[in-house]
Amino acid sequence: MSKVFVLGGTGFLGYYTVKELLRRNYQVKTMALPPMPSKDLLPEEVECTLGNIFELSDEQIVDLLTDCDSLIYAAGADERTVPKKPAMKFFYEANVLPTQRLARLAKKAGVGHFVVFSSYFAEFAQRLPQYHLEEQAYPCMRLLQEQVAFAEGEGKMKVSSLRLPYIFGTMPGRMPLWTAFVDPARGQAVYPAPKGGTAAVTVEQVAEAAVGILEHGEHRQTYSICAKNLKFKEFYQLIIEALGQEDTTRIPISNYDELKPYFEKLDQDADQQGLEHGIHMAVSMKLQTEDLFLVSSRHNASFRHQGT
């Protein structure tokens, strides 16, 4: 029976990936930062250690991974983090360096396939060059994260990247990711939506895709997944209906050009506080006027899921 190490197995994505691996009869080993989000989160058959894997020595990490055939890297900082500037340095240290080290040590331990969870902002940095996202800290470092992992695997270990869009779902003991959208809409008469849209998946589909890549993925390939391409207005309407406000809340389309000075001021305010967004707010909100939909291309393998 194949054994898979899941880094971040008690996090949102890692938790569901562990569940999917168990459902498909894999042995699972994980290490995650304490504390556990809820008691008895993982089944007893999961080999779970709480701690920071990157505080271990190289030798300890190799020993930890020696009995594993594959590794899923479900950890790191996402674009919601607003670090001290320069953001490029923060995301390099949070996402690139740890991935490179673990990929190198996983190869040394004999791991055969390494899957890194990345972002669809890496995808759109390539698809929408007019936005110069490769100059923005978060997508730039996601692209670099993939490349260093690919390079570390050369000659001995397959390395694949799963580029993730908006993800829907909940898990025990953790605050839902969509609180940032739901709370501002609560009790509002008007809740403006951006003009564009986004690809979306459920967290269960992320787990299914991760295991699918373990079984069929190729070295140096990126995989973007999409269950539904969703206009932001449609997404906001779902929020309003969930709140029971469909008769009291109106969802107009926001005008980016009118709001641009406000977004630029948010970037200026962050700068004055010594902070920097991984994607500057003026760029991020302009990007949301586009349909960030996922379709297959010759540079990318897209998994299209219908249902969970």
Side-chain angles (χ1 to χ4, degrees):
M1 184 184 297
S2 181
K3 181 180 284 189
V4 181
F5 187 92
V6 179
L7 180 63
T10 63
F12 179 50
L13 302 181
Y15 168 69
Y16 280 92
T17 302
V18 168
K19 289 179 62 176
E20 179 64 15
L21 287 165
L22 293 175
R23 189 182 73 83
R24 293 166 71 164
N25 297 316
Y26 286 88
Q27 292 181 328
V28 180
K29 191 174 187 178
T30 186
M31 189 170 195
L33 295 173
M36 292 287 281
S38 67
K39 185 179 179 181
D40 301 325
L41 179 71
L42 299 175
E44 290 184 359
E45 62 263 36
V46 176
E47 297 179 47
C48 179
T49 303
L50 293 182
N52 186 343
I53 193 171
F54 296 108
E55 292 179 353
L56 302 180
S57 68
D58 287 3
E59 293 75 15
Q60 288 172 319
I61 293 175
V62 170
D63 287 344
L64 185 67
L65 301 178
T66 297
D67 62 342
C68 296
D69 306 288
S70 305
L71 188 150
I72 295 177
Y73 192 104
D78 64 26
E79 77 282 2
R80 293 169 298 165
T81 304
V82 185
K84 292 181 180 179
K85 61 181 183 182
M88 199 75 78
K89 179 178 185 293
F90 170 82
F91 286 106
Y92 177 68
E93 293 177 348
N95 290 340
V96 178
L97 290 181
T99 305
Q100 183 177 29
R101 182 182 178 216
L102 196 58
R104 173 174 58 84
L105 296 175
K107 182 174 69 172
K108 186 175 181 180
V111 170
H113 198 168
F114 187 103
V115 177
V116 59
F117 283 7
S118 184
S119 166
Y120 81 158
F121 287 112
E123 181 77 13
F124 288 108
Q126 297 172 323
R127 294 197 187 196
L128 300 174
Q130 67 270 30
Y131 282 88
H132 303 287
L133 290 178
E134 72 281 356
E135 298 174 9
Q136 299 287 315
Y138 180 71
C140 176
M141 291 300 105
R142 282 299 195 185
L143 287 167
L144 184 57
Q145 177 188 34
E146 292 176 340
Q147 291 303 315
V148 298
F150 294 157
E152 290 293 346
E154 289 297 332
K156 195 171 180 181
M157 179 176 71
K158 287 194 301 182
V159 180
S160 310
S161 176
L162 179 56
R163 293 176 169 178
L164 300 172
Y166 275 39
I167 304 166
F168 292 91
T170 61
M171 70 167 288
R174 294 198 186 276
M175 186 71 69
L177 298 175
W178 300 113
T179 303
F181 289 92
V182 174
D183 288 348
R186 202 180 301 275
Q188 297 299 311
V190 178
Y191 189 39
K195 175 185 175 183
T198 180
V201 292
T202 67
V203 68
E204 292 90 350
Q205 289 164 337
V206 171
E208 291 170 5
V211 180
I213 291 171
L214 276 187
E215 296 175 347
H216 306 292
E218 299 178 6
H219 181 52
R220 283 192 168 272
Q221 288 298 305
T222 64
Y223 299 89
S224 296
I225 59 173
C226 176
K228 182 176 177 61
N229 286 318
L230 190 70
K231 295 291 283 189
F232 285 115
K233 181 164 184 169
E234 183 182 358
F235 171 34
Y236 283 24
Q237 184 63 42
L238 293 172
I239 293 173
I240 294 305
E241 291 174 2
L243 291 171
Q245 297 175 189
E246 57 265 43
D247 296 328
T248 59
T249 301
R250 186 169 59 90
I251 309 176
I253 299 298
S254 61
N255 186 317
Y256 173 79
D257 290 333
E258 292 180 359
L259 294 172
K260 182 180 178 181
Y262 169 74
F263 299 132
E264 290 176 337
K265 187 174 186 306
L266 291 178
D267 288 323
Q268 293 168 3
D269 291 345
D271 183 69
Q272 291 173 1
Q273 297 172 44
L275 305 175
E276 185 181 10
H277 292 272
I279 305 177
H280 291 176
M281 292 300 296
V283 176
S284 178
M285 298 311 297
K286 176 64 174 175
L287 196 61
Q288 291 187 31
T289 66
E290 302 278 357
D291 287 331
L292 303 179
F293 295 162
L294 290 174
V295 295
S296 61
S297 76
R298 64 188 180 90
H299 297 295
N300 173 272
S302 288
F303 290 101
R304 299 299 300 270
H305 292 273
Q306 299 297 328
T308 57

